[in-house]
Coordinates of all heavy atoms in Angstrom, one line a residue:
K121 N 106.0 98.6 107.5 CA 105.4 99.6 108.5 C 106.2 100.9 108.4 O 105.6 102.0 108.4 CB 105.5 99.0 109.9 CG 104.8 99.9 110.9 CD 104.5 99.2 112.2 CE 103.6 100.1 113.1 NZ 103.2 99.4 114.4
T122 N 107.5 100.8 108.4 CA 108.3 102.0 108.3 C 108.0 102.8 107.0 O 107.8 104.0 107.0 CB 109.8 101.7 108.3 OG1 110.2 101.1 109.5 CG2 110.7 103.0 108.0
A123 N 107.9 102.0 105.9 CA 107.5 102.7 104.6 C 106.1 103.2 104.6 O 105.9 104.3 104.0 CB 107.7 101.6 103.5
S124 N 105.2 102.5 105.2 CA 103.8 103.0 105.3 C 103.8 104.3 106.1 O 103.0 105.3 105.7 CB 102.9 102.0 106.0 OG 102.8 100.8 105.1
L125 N 104.5 104.4 107.2 CA 104.6 105.6 108.0 C 105.1 106.8 107.2 O 104.6 107.9 107.2 CB 105.4 105.4 109.2 CG 104.8 104.6 110.4 CD1 105.9 104.1 111.3 CD2 103.8 105.5 111.1
A126 N 106.2 106.5 106.4 CA 106.8 107.6 105.6 C 105.8 108.0 104.5 O 105.7 109.3 104.3 CB 108.1 107.0 104.9
I127 N 105.2 107.1 103.8 CA 104.2 107.5 102.8 C 103.0 108.2 103.3 O 102.6 109.3 102.8 CB 103.7 106.2 102.0 CG1 104.9 105.5 101.3 CG2 102.6 106.5 101.1 CD1 104.5 104.2 100.7
S128 N 102.5 107.8 104.4 CA 101.4 108.4 105.1 C 101.7 109.9 105.5 O 100.9 110.8 105.4 CB 100.9 107.6 106.3 OG 99.8 108.2 106.9
N129 N 102.9 110.1 106.0 CA 103.3 111.4 106.4 C 103.4 112.4 105.3 O 103.2 113.6 105.5 CB 104.7 111.3 107.1 CG 104.6 110.7 108.5 OD1 103.6 110.6 109.1 ND2 105.8 110.2 109.0
I130 N 103.7 111.8 104.1 CA 103.7 112.7 102.9 C 102.3 113.0 102.3 O 102.0 114.1 102.0 CB 104.6 112.0 101.8 CG1 106.1 112.0 102.3 CG2 104.6 112.8 100.5 CD1 107.0 111.0 101.5
I131 N 101.5 111.9 102.2 CA 100.2 112.0 101.5 C 99.2 112.7 102.3 O 98.4 113.6 101.8 CB 99.7 110.6 101.1 CG1 100.7 109.9 100.1 CG2 98.3 110.7 100.6 CD1 100.3 108.5 99.9
S132 N 99.1 112.5 103.6 CA 98.0 113.0 104.4 C 97.9 114.6 104.4 O 96.8 115.1 104.3 CB 98.0 112.5 105.8 OG 99.3 112.6 106.4
P133 N 99.1 115.3 104.5 CA 99.0 116.7 104.4 C 98.4 117.2 103.1 O 97.7 118.2 103.0 CB 100.4 117.2 104.6 CG 101.1 116.1 105.4 CD 100.4 114.9 104.8
Y134 N 98.8 116.5 102.0 CA 98.3 116.9 100.7 C 96.8 116.7 100.6 O 96.1 117.5 100.0 CB 99.0 116.1 99.6 CG 100.5 116.5 99.4 CD1 101.4 115.5 99.2 CD2 100.9 117.8 99.3 CE1 102.8 115.8 99.0 CE2 102.2 118.2 99.1 CZ 103.1 117.2 99.0 OH 104.5 117.5 98.8
L135 N 96.3 115.6 101.2 CA 94.9 115.4 101.2 C 94.1 116.5 101.9 O 93.0 116.9 101.5 CB 94.6 114.0 101.8 CG 95.0 112.8 101.0 CD1 94.8 111.5 101.8 CD2 94.3 112.7 99.7
L136 N 94.7 116.9 103.0 CA 94.0 118.0 103.8 C 94.1 119.3 103.0 O 93.1 120.1 103.0 CB 94.8 118.2 105.1 CG 94.6 117.1 106.2 CD1 95.5 117.4 107.4 CD2 93.1 117.1 106.6
D137 N 95.1 119.5 102.2 CA 95.2 120.7 101.4 C 94.2 120.7 100.3 O 93.7 121.7 99.9 CB 96.6 120.8 100.8 CG 97.7 121.3 101.8 OD1 97.3 121.8 102.9 OD2 98.9 121.1 101.5
L138 N 94.0 119.5 99.7 CA 93.0 119.3 98.7 C 91.6 119.8 99.1 O 90.9 120.6 98.4 CB 92.8 117.9 98.2 CG 94.0 117.2 97.5 CD1 93.7 115.8 97.2 CD2 94.2 117.9 96.2
S139 N 91.2 119.5 100.3 CA 89.9 119.9 100.8 C 89.8 121.3 101.1 O 88.8 122.0 101.0 CB 89.5 119.0 102.0 OG 90.4 119.3 103.1
E140 N 90.9 121.9 101.5 CA 91.0 123.3 101.9 C 90.7 124.2 100.6 O 90.2 125.3 100.7 CB 92.3 123.7 102.5 CG 92.6 123.2 103.9 CD 91.6 123.7 104.9 OE1 91.1 124.9 104.7 OE2 91.3 123.0 105.9
N141 N 91.1 123.7 99.4 CA 90.9 124.4 98.2 C 89.5 124.2 97.6 O 89.2 124.8 96.6 CB 91.9 123.9 97.2 CG 93.3 124.6 97.4 OD1 93.4 125.8 97.4 ND2 94.3 123.7 97.5
G142 N 88.7 123.5 98.3 CA 87.3 123.3 97.8 C 87.1 122.0 97.1 O 86.1 121.3 97.4
S143 N 87.9 121.6 96.2 CA 87.8 120.4 95.5 C 89.2 120.0 94.9 O 90.1 120.9 94.9 CB 86.8 120.5 94.3 OG 87.3 121.3 93.3
I144 N 89.3 118.8 94.4 CA 90.6 118.4 93.8 C 90.9 119.2 92.6 O 92.0 119.7 92.4 CB 90.6 116.9 93.5 CG1 90.4 116.1 94.7 CG2 91.9 116.5 92.7 CD1 90.4 114.6 94.5
D145 N 89.9 119.5 91.8 CA 90.1 120.3 90.6 C 90.6 121.7 90.9 O 91.4 122.3 90.3 CB 88.8 120.4 89.8 CG 88.4 119.1 89.1 OD1 89.4 118.3 88.8 OD2 87.3 118.9 88.8
D146 N 90.0 122.3 92.0 CA 90.5 123.6 92.5 C 91.9 123.6 92.9 O 92.7 124.4 92.7 CB 89.6 124.1 93.6 CG 88.2 124.5 93.2 OD1 88.1 125.0 92.0 OD2 87.2 124.3 93.9
A147 N 92.3 122.5 93.7 CA 93.6 122.3 94.1 C 94.6 122.2 93.0 O 95.7 122.7 93.0 CB 93.7 121.1 95.1
I148 N 94.2 121.4 91.9 CA 95.1 121.3 90.8 C 95.3 122.6 90.1 O 96.4 122.9 89.6 CB 94.5 120.3 89.8 CG1 94.4 118.9 90.4 CG2 95.2 120.3 88.5 CD1 93.6 117.9 89.6
S149 N 94.3 123.5 90.1 CA 94.4 124.8 89.5 C 95.3 125.7 90.3 O 96.1 126.5 89.8 CB 93.0 125.5 89.4 OG 92.2 124.7 88.5
Y150 N 95.2 125.7 91.7 CA 95.9 126.6 92.5 C 97.3 126.1 93.0 O 98.2 126.9 93.3 CB 95.1 127.0 93.7 CG 93.8 127.7 93.4 CD1 92.6 127.2 93.7 CD2 93.9 129.0 92.8 CE1 91.4 127.9 93.3 CE2 92.7 129.7 92.5 CZ 91.5 129.1 92.7 OH 90.4 129.8 92.4
D151 N 97.4 124.8 93.2 CA 98.6 124.3 93.9 C 99.6 123.6 92.9 O 99.2 122.5 92.3 CB 98.1 123.2 94.9 CG 99.2 122.8 95.9 OD1 100.4 122.8 95.5 OD2 98.9 122.5 97.1
N152 N 100.7 124.2 92.7 CA 101.7 123.6 91.7 C 102.2 122.2 92.2 O 102.6 121.4 91.3 CB 102.9 124.6 91.5 CG 102.5 125.8 90.8 OD1 101.6 125.8 89.9 ND2 103.1 126.9 91.1
T153 N 102.3 122.0 93.5 CA 102.7 120.7 94.0 C 101.8 119.6 93.6 O 102.3 118.6 93.1 CB 102.9 120.8 95.5 OG1 103.8 121.8 95.9 CG2 103.4 119.5 96.1
I154 N 100.5 119.8 93.8 CA 99.5 118.8 93.4 C 99.5 118.6 91.9 O 99.5 117.5 91.4 CB 98.1 119.2 93.9 CG1 98.1 119.3 95.4 CG2 97.1 118.2 93.4 CD1 98.3 118.1 96.2
R155 N 99.6 119.7 91.2 CA 99.6 119.7 89.7 C 100.7 118.9 89.2 O 100.6 118.2 88.2 CB 99.6 121.1 89.2 CG 99.2 121.2 87.7 CD 99.3 122.6 87.1 NE 98.7 123.6 88.0 CZ 98.9 124.9 87.8 NH1 99.6 125.3 86.8 NH2 98.3 125.7 88.6
S156 N 101.9 119.0 89.8 CA 103.1 118.3 89.3 C 103.0 116.8 89.3 O 103.6 116.1 88.6 CB 104.3 118.7 90.2 OG 104.2 118.2 91.5
G157 N 102.1 116.3 90.2 CA 101.9 114.8 90.2 C 100.9 114.3 89.3 O 100.8 113.1 89.1
I158 N 100.1 115.2 88.6 CA 99.0 114.7 87.7 C 99.6 114.3 86.4 O 100.3 115.0 85.7 CB 98.0 115.8 87.5 CG1 97.4 116.3 88.8 CG2 96.9 115.3 86.5 CD1 96.6 115.2 89.5
Y159 N 99.3 113.1 85.9 CA 99.7 112.6 84.6 C 98.6 112.3 83.7 O 98.7 112.3 82.4 CB 100.7 111.4 84.7 CG 100.1 110.2 85.3 CD1 99.6 109.2 84.5 CD2 100.1 110.0 86.7 CE1 99.1 108.0 85.0 CE2 99.6 108.8 87.2 CZ 99.1 107.8 86.4 OH 98.6 106.7 87.0
I160 N 97.4 112.1 84.2 CA 96.2 112.1 83.4 C 95.1 113.0 84.1 O 94.9 112.8 85.3 CB 95.7 110.6 83.2 CG1 96.6 109.8 82.4 CG2 94.3 110.6 82.6 CD1 96.2 108.4 82.1
Y161 N 94.6 113.9 83.3 CA 93.6 114.8 83.8 C 92.3 114.6 83.1 O 92.2 114.9 81.9 CB 94.1 116.3 83.7 CG 93.1 117.3 84.3 CD1 92.9 117.4 85.7 CD2 92.4 118.2 83.5 CE1 92.0 118.3 86.2 CE2 91.5 119.1 84.0 CZ 91.3 119.1 85.4 OH 90.4 120.1 85.9
K162 N 91.3 114.0 83.8 CA 90.0 113.8 83.2 C 90.1 113.0 81.9 O 89.4 113.4 80.9 CB 89.2 115.1 83.0 CG 88.9 115.8 84.4 CD 88.1 117.0 84.2 CE 87.8 117.6 85.6 NZ 87.0 118.9 85.5
G163 N 90.9 112.1 81.9 CA 91.1 111.2 80.7 C 92.1 111.7 79.6 O 92.3 111.1 78.7
I164 N 92.7 112.9 79.9 CA 93.6 113.5 78.9 C 95.0 113.3 79.5 O 95.3 113.7 80.6 CB 93.3 115.0 78.7 CG1 91.9 115.2 78.2 CG2 94.4 115.6 77.7 CD1 91.5 116.6 78.1

């Protein structure tokens, strides 16, 4: 439960930011924080 609270507190703001950018692809383009976590992009 403690770990779930900690993870949720980190992830949920990023999810809100994704939608503010229009789409996940837009967020990856504009947001370096989101982009830093991507290791496979559309199969690449």
Side-chain angles (χ1 to χ4, degrees):
K121 186 164 187 175
T122 296
S124 296
L125 282 163
I127 294 170
S128 184
N129 288 341
I130 294 165
I131 296 173
S132 51
Y134 290 136
L135 293 173
L136 289 173
D137 287 343
L138 289 177
S139 62
E140 290 296 330
N141 280 307
S143 70
I144 297 179
D145 287 337
D146 291 326
I148 293 170
S149 297
Y150 294 118
D151 192 331
N152 290 330
T153 299
I154 298 297
R155 195 186 312 171
S156 67
I158 302 295
Y159 62 96
I160 291 181
Y161 181 69
K162 297 184 178 180
I164 301 171

